[in-house]
Amino acid sequence: MAEKKITVSVGNLVEYVLKSGDIDHIYVGSSSMREGVRIHQKLQKKRAKQAMLEDFEFEKEVRLFNEFDIEDFTFKVEGRADGIHRKNGRILVEEIKSTYSDVKTLEPHENHIHLAQAKCYGYMIAKDESLDSVEIMLTYCHVETEETAEYGREYSFSELEDFFVRITGVYFARAKKDYDRKQRRNTSIKNAPFVFENYRKGQREFAIKVYRAIENRAKLFAQAPTGTGKTVSTLFPCIKAIGEGHIDKIFYTTAKTVTRKVAEETLKRFKEKGYDLLTLTLTAKEKICMTEGICSPEHCKYARGHFDRVNAAVEDIAENERIVTRDTIRLYAEKHTVCPHEFTLDLSLWVDVVVCDYNHVFDPKVSLKRFFGDVPTEQYAFLVDEAHNLVDRSREMFSAELRKKDFLDLKKDIKAVDVPLYKLCDKINTYFTELRNAELYESKTAVMRELPENLSVLLMDFVTVTDKFLTRHRGESAESLEKLLNLYFSVLDYLSVSEYFCDSYTVFLESFGSDMSVRLLCLDPSRRLREVHEKAKVCVFFSATLTPISYFKQVFGGTVDDDGFKLPSPFPPYNLCLVIESGISTRYRSRGESYEAIADRLYVMANAKKGNYFAFFPSYAYLNEVLSVFQTKYPGITVIVQEQKLSDEEKENFLGSFDEGRNDTMLAFSVMGGVFSEGIDLTGEKLIGVAVVGVGLPLISPERDLIASYYNEKFEDGTGFEYAYVFPGINKVLQAAGRLIRTETDMGVILLIDDRYATERYMSLFPKEWDNAVFVRGQKTLEDSIRGFWY
């Protein structure tokens, strides 16, 4: 047996070699996976019963593999056959497929992917049992009618062997090139130095922690302040582990474009230092599409014949590029006339590092099924950058919402087009009306502990009827079907989430005049996140603000035994002046009395030294009230204001206002949790002061109160308010304050305004570098502290 090994599943083998023709993504039929599993199980039960009555053997889900030497490699193909029939010394291999098409019209040709899978299994079992021939049967079953059609014939061993040798030969040619590339990659990783001349303070410790987590197949939670070099500290040990064969692929996940850019720049630095890695940034479909149209061959030249050309495109880019970004993908997609989105997904199978949004790993609606659908055969590393953002994002991913108005609007539009769909929309709309009258007659919101009775049945009927409609109207324009498709996918999402409904969920009802919504609200995402990161060998959650780590361990599905650590700031403590104005309350009931006092404190900070300053507020309403007072009292200070909706160009212009070494003073009014409160670098004298007004508490809402109640019940220690409000708030504060002091030479002032900062609840959450905070009350003591720092 050769030392060099290549392993591939039957599915991936036949998909790569035999898939051809067009992309047609106007919709993905039904309930696909759920209905497919149901059809498989039902037919398998039928076969088992038939075997008992007719006295033959039937095995379902039979694991098969074939291992052989080719050149100096051992090539292993493995998979699972739907059914094996044994009767009178004869063997029949059955492959089952569900469909919404007329089964009588589905007569597959010899290279059809479904038939090819069955032929691979037929070859494996014929070889294992030294058979001269095997019967192959492909069974199609209609999802609704359950009508079946069987296509099959007997194949000689030599026919099956010729077929198997041909397709494995095609795949081997690509896999061998990839193997050789990986050998070069491993050699480069072994020989290349660390990407910087020296480790920063805490960086080596961080990297060692990550490597040990890889060795122990563990989860790691790390709070690493700005300047630690978090991206390099996590990527470096994982890349080393790739070179040593401990990891096959890294998924570097982020919440925002700016952090993806940092990862790309870091990977470029690895390349410059001699690391021969193939890396890929995944871009959302709508941001990479070159036609802005529908994925159908009638409307898009890149969809037409895509699968005939995509393998050549993958090979071309894999041989000639190393850092593959959005622009690179579009360049090669144009060259080979392939869909850039599908091209990216196909290429992801062959790369070492995937930089992507959280959604691609954690969101069940859009995650990469080719990697995470079943138990992975490869060893993955999940690196979760700015992990504090994953808390709310994960709750959104695992929740689902339906609006009454959407069914009512569709009902009106579809009445003259499709009677069954019209009637079903009418039934669902009526159901919502009755639910509203029963649950929301005295209040705008209500909570149910159980799923609404019979709603799921109506929604499954909606999916079935919509599938039939979309099958008949395949190829129509995106605009004409957009409303239906959006609602169709929302219903599928609701049904999917409903399957996970348990005590960590609640049903949240809300009325909007004559309209209402039903939301399956995920209160605690820990169980579902745990299911995702258990598919990885190692999962590292890291951020400059992961406070307290025990909270993030719980919410992310970790345990108290998982490693969690905080690194100190690598910057000199004397470069920071942290002043806390504890004489002002910013609680909602006190805000009207605080506007002038806050404006005065902001002026003291900005007037102490010429330069650029940020002031972060908990809301736009609060910001505007203080802004009005400030501009009236202090017209000599230049002011810029973050608007609620900004284009990319407007964001750049806003940040461009932070000139270094200016001769006057500028104060930027912004909001916590917004686009400027995290992920931006204003180094040197581009920013010399940050004020944070309030403690960052999320707006009080019924949803947040439900989260608080859930954790109060779960822990029985009254910490629900912390989980729902305090901990998310302090992390927003830390992020906003973290815009200051980005390098070891930066200097500046952080001013926190709120009397709650002087309480044990908040002081216990301060990072180590805030130990020297100065507490003041009033303008004079504030001015003395700040001027004492500067002068």
Side-chain angles (χ1 to χ4, degrees):
M1 197 67 69
E3 289 186 8
K4 298 180 181 179
K5 293 185 178 181
I6 293 172
T7 301
V8 64
S9 69
V10 169
N12 284 344
L13 169 66
V14 299
E15 285 263 341
Y16 178 82
V17 178
L18 299 177
K19 199 165 187 177
S20 62
D22 309 327
I23 295 173
D24 194 351
H25 279 173
I26 188 170
Y27 94 105
V28 177
S30 144
S31 5
S32 50
M33 290 186 68
R34 182 176 61 253
E35 291 296 335
V37 170
R38 181 182 67 82
I39 290 296
H40 271 66
Q41 292 174 343
K42 189 161 187 174
L43 273 179
Q44 287 168 340
K45 287 180 181 178
K46 181 179 177 181
R47 299 299 190 225
K49 186 176 181 180
Q50 182 183 356
M52 292 177 63
L53 293 174
E54 299 179 15
D55 192 27
F56 68 88
E57 295 180 31
F58 173 76
E59 296 177 83
K60 66 177 181 180
E61 305 299 329
V62 181
R63 291 192 175 275
L64 298 168
F65 72 92
N66 179 248
E67 209 168 52
F68 59 95
D69 288 339
I70 177 171
E71 296 183 13
D72 53 347
F73 286 83
T74 294
F75 196 145
K76 182 179 181 180
V77 183
E78 57 188 7
R80 191 166 54 191
D82 292 331
I84 303 292
H85 304 243
R86 298 174 183 271
K87 186 176 183 180
N88 300 328
R90 306 287 297 168
I91 289 182
L92 180 147
V93 177
E94 182 177 23
E95 186 73 10
I96 301 169
K97 299 296 178 185
S98 58
T99 181
Y100 279 86
S101 302
D102 184 351
V103 295
K104 297 175 183 176
T105 66
L106 295 173
E107 191 164 356
H109 56 78
E110 283 299 294
N111 280 337
H112 193 282
I113 289 174
H114 298 161
L115 181 58
Q117 287 179 266
K119 289 167 71 175
C120 286
Y121 297 132
Y123 168 74
M124 291 176 186
I125 200 165
K127 184 178 181 183
D128 287 346
E129 302 189 20
S130 302
L131 303 174
D132 293 330
S133 64
V134 172
E135 188 173 350
I136 303 295
M137 184 167 74
L138 180 59
T139 301
Y140 285 110
C141 183
H142 196 277
V143 171
E144 293 175 356
T145 66
E146 297 188 2
E147 179 184 6
T148 60
E150 299 168 355
Y151 302 91
R153 72 174 180 87
E154 191 167 345
Y155 289 83
S156 68
F157 176 75
S158 61
E159 285 181 290
L160 294 173
E161 185 175 48
D162 288 346
F163 172 78
F164 189 80
V165 169
R166 178 172 67 83
I167 65 170
T168 52
V170 173
Y171 186 89
F172 174 73
R174 169 88 278 272
K176 182 177 181 294
K177 288 182 180 180
D178 188 60
Y179 182 93
D180 292 341
R181 181 194 68 79
K182 288 177 178 176
Q183 293 304 111
R184 296 191 298 271
R185 174 202 68 191
N186 294 349
T187 300
S188 75
I189 292 172
K190 182 179 180 180
N191 295 331
F194 184 60
V195 291
F196 295 105
E197 292 299 320
N198 298 295
Y199 286 96
R200 293 183 185 178
K201 183 179 178 181
Q203 198 168 50
R204 185 180 181 85
E205 178 188 353
F206 194 177
I208 290 172
K209 288 272 191 182
V210 174
Y211 193 85
R212 286 177 179 165
I214 296 168
E215 289 182 320
N216 297 326
R217 304 185 67 88
K219 293 182 286 292
L220 177 66
F221 299 81
Q223 177 167 300
T226 300
T228 308
K230 295 182 288 294
T231 306
V232 169
S233 298
T234 53
L235 278 172
F236 177 65
C238 288
I239 289 170
K240 283 294 183 182
I242 282 182
E244 295 164 0
H246 302 312
I247 285 177
D248 298 303
K249 197 181 299 287
I250 301 167
F251 290 89
Y252 191 101
T253 67
T254 72
K256 299 182 179 181
T257 301
V258 64
T259 42
R260 286 197 287 281
K261 295 292 186 186
V262 171
E264 288 177 350
E265 290 302 317
T266 303
L267 289 167
K268 287 179 183 177
R269 185 176 288 272
F270 275 98
K271 180 176 180 290
E272 291 165 0
K273 286 292 184 177
Y275 292 79
D276 190 9
L277 296 160
L278 180 54
T279 73
L280 169 67
T281 300
L282 292 185
T283 307
K285 184 176 181 180
E286 62 273 13
K287 293 184 178 180
I288 202 169
C289 178
M290 296 192 289
T291 61
E292 298 181 358
I294 192 168
C295 286
S296 68
E298 294 84 4
H299 300 88
C300 177
K301 69 176 183 179
Y302 302 101
R304 191 164 50 250
H306 164 89
F307 293 111
D308 299 326
R309 300 181 294 271
V310 71
N311 286 354
V314 167
E315 188 156 335
D316 187 9
I317 199 169
E319 288 189 0
N320 294 292
E321 303 292 340
R322 283 297 171 263
I323 307 293
V324 180
T325 62
R326 174 182 177 272
D327 291 341
T328 319
I329 286 288
R330 286 170 68 98
L331 180 68
Y332 279 80
E334 186 68 58
K335 176 181 177 181
H336 291 273
T337 320
V338 293
C339 167
H341 176 66
E342 288 292 330
F343 175 33
T344 304
L345 296 180
D346 284 343
L347 179 61
S348 68
L349 290 168
W350 305 95
V351 305
D352 307 310
V353 183
V354 178
V355 180
C356 58
D357 186 85
Y358 294 157
N359 292 343
H360 289 107
V361 171
F362 295 101
D363 190 338
K365 296 185 288 294
V366 296
S367 64
L368 301 169
K369 302 297 189 296
R370 61 192 69 202
F371 298 110
F372 313 128
D374 294 311
V375 177
T377 57
E378 292 187 300
Q379 302 288 333
Y380 301 139
F382 293 166
L383 304 181
V384 186
D385 195 0
E386 301 291 2
H388 61 278
N389 286 307
L390 185 59
V391 178
D392 287 338
R393 282 282 296 275
S394 62
R395 286 197 177 107
E396 292 173 14
M397 292 173 192
F398 303 141
S399 298
E401 183 177 16
L402 293 175
R403 294 284 289 262
K404 173 183 180 293
K405 184 177 184 296
D406 293 333
F407 290 97
L408 180 60
D409 289 347
L410 182 60
K411 169 190 164 184
K412 295 174 182 176
D413 292 347
I414 210 76
K415 183 175 183 179
V417 180
D418 190 272
V419 173
L421 193 51
Y422 165 78
K423 289 182 176 179
L424 200 50
C425 287
D426 183 54
K427 284 184 181 180
I428 297 172
N429 179 64
T430 300
Y431 181 93
F432 272 96
T433 300
E434 294 171 350
L435 186 64
R436 183 188 63 201
N437 293 340
E439 302 289 340
L440 293 165
Y441 61 96
E442 291 183 342
S443 174
K444 288 188 175 182
T445 63
V447 175
M448 298 172 65
R449 291 285 185 154
E450 303 293 334
L451 291 169
E453 190 176 1
N454 298 326
L455 177 57
S456 292
V457 176
L458 287 171
L459 294 175
M460 284 189 280
D461 289 343
F462 175 85
V463 169
T464 300
V465 172
T466 303
D467 274 322
K468 293 171 69 175
F469 178 87
L470 290 171
T471 299
R472 292 195 303 273
H473 293 268
R474 185 183 293 272
E476 291 191 7
S477 68
E479 292 77 13
S480 65
L481 296 174
E482 183 177 9
K483 187 180 293 185
L484 174 59
L485 284 169
N486 288 340
L487 183 53
Y488 171 80
F489 290 122
S490 293
V491 169
L492 286 179
D493 186 30
Y494 178 96
L495 290 172
S496 176
V497 171
S498 69
E499 294 177 3
Y500 288 88
F501 193 83
C502 60
D503 61 359
S504 62
Y505 277 83
T506 194
V507 182
F508 183 71
L509 310 179
E510 189 169 10
S511 65
F512 312 91
S514 60
D515 191 18
M516 73 163 295
S517 68
V518 176
R519 187 176 184 196
L520 305 185
L521 179 62
C522 179
L523 304 172
D524 178 2
S526 60
R527 180 172 69 93
R528 297 198 65 182
L529 285 174
R530 188 183 304 115
E531 291 173 357
V532 176
H533 55 62
E534 282 178 352
K535 295 179 182 294
K537 183 172 184 177
V538 63
C539 192
V540 183
F541 299 93
F542 58 100
S543 170
T545 57
L546 221 57
T547 299
I549 283 181
S550 59
Y551 159 72
F552 286 98
K553 282 185 180 182
Q554 199 288 322
V555 174
F556 290 158
T559 69
V560 292
D561 296 327
D562 290 325
D563 194 7
F565 72 102
K566 295 183 179 181
L567 288 174
S569 172
F571 302 142
Y574 49 78
N575 283 3
L576 171 65
C577 173
L578 176 64
V579 187
I580 298 175
E581 169 55 86
S582 60
I584 298 174
S585 170
T586 70
R587 293 169 181 81
Y588 189 78
R589 63 179 179 272
S590 306
R591 287 186 179 178
E593 303 167 5
S594 70
Y595 303 148
E596 185 168 0
I598 291 171
D600 291 340
R601 304 310 187 273
L602 295 180
Y603 175 74
V604 169
M605 177 185 72
N607 190 54
K609 179 180 172 65
K610 291 180 180 179
N612 300 314
Y613 297 84
F614 249 125
F616 290 101
F617 291 81
S619 69
Y620 279 99
Y622 205 170
L623 179 156
N624 287 325
E625 293 289 356
V626 176
L627 173 66
S628 177
V629 174
F630 187 89
Q631 289 183 306
T632 300
K633 290 189 70 174
Y634 306 111
I637 302 290
T638 301
V639 167
I640 61 173
V641 182
Q642 175 189 344
E643 300 298 333
Q644 286 189 268
K645 292 183 179 180
L646 295 173
S647 66
D648 289 341
E649 183 179 356
E650 288 170 329
K651 291 175 190 174
E652 290 181 12
N653 291 338
F654 187 93
L655 293 175
S657 301
F658 289 80
D659 294 327
E660 202 162 12
R662 65 186 307 138
N663 294 319
D664 63 347
T665 292
M666 182 190 75
L667 177 60
F669 281 68
S670 188
V671 290
M672 279 184 274
V675 293
F676 301 122
S677 66
E678 62 179 278
I680 62 168
D681 277 313
L682 295 170
T683 58
E685 294 190 357
K686 289 182 179 179
L687 182 66
I688 63 170
V690 168
V692 180
V693 178
V695 292
L697 294 183
L699 291 175
I700 293 175
S701 67
E703 293 94 331
R704 285 278 167 188
D705 288 344
L706 286 169
I707 293 170
S709 296
Y710 168 82
Y711 284 109
N712 278 335
E713 290 181 19
K714 181 169 183 174
F715 298 127
E716 298 181 349
D717 61 358
T719 58
F721 185 76
E722 272 75 11
Y723 270 64
Y725 290 101
V726 175
F727 297 157
I730 194 64
N731 280 280
K732 283 200 292 185
V733 170
L734 293 171
Q735 281 293 325
R739 296 317 92 212
L740 192 72
I741 313 294
R742 308 297 294 178
T743 73
E744 59 274 5
T745 58
D746 291 356
M747 297 181 65
V749 174
I750 294 175
L751 169 61
L752 305 182
I753 303 175
D754 196 289
D755 58 2
R756 286 168 286 190
Y757 286 119
T759 65
E760 178 60 27
R761 168 183 268 176
Y762 281 92
M763 291 177 65
S764 66
L765 299 174
F766 286 1
K768 181 71 176 173
E769 55 268 26
W770 285 12
D771 284 353
N772 296 325
V774 177
F775 289 84
V776 301
R777 297 172 68 90
Q779 286 179 254
K780 181 65 170 63
T781 51
L782 175 63
E783 183 175 10
D784 290 345
S785 296
I786 294 177
R787 286 192 173 275
F789 169 74
W790 287 123
Y791 305 106

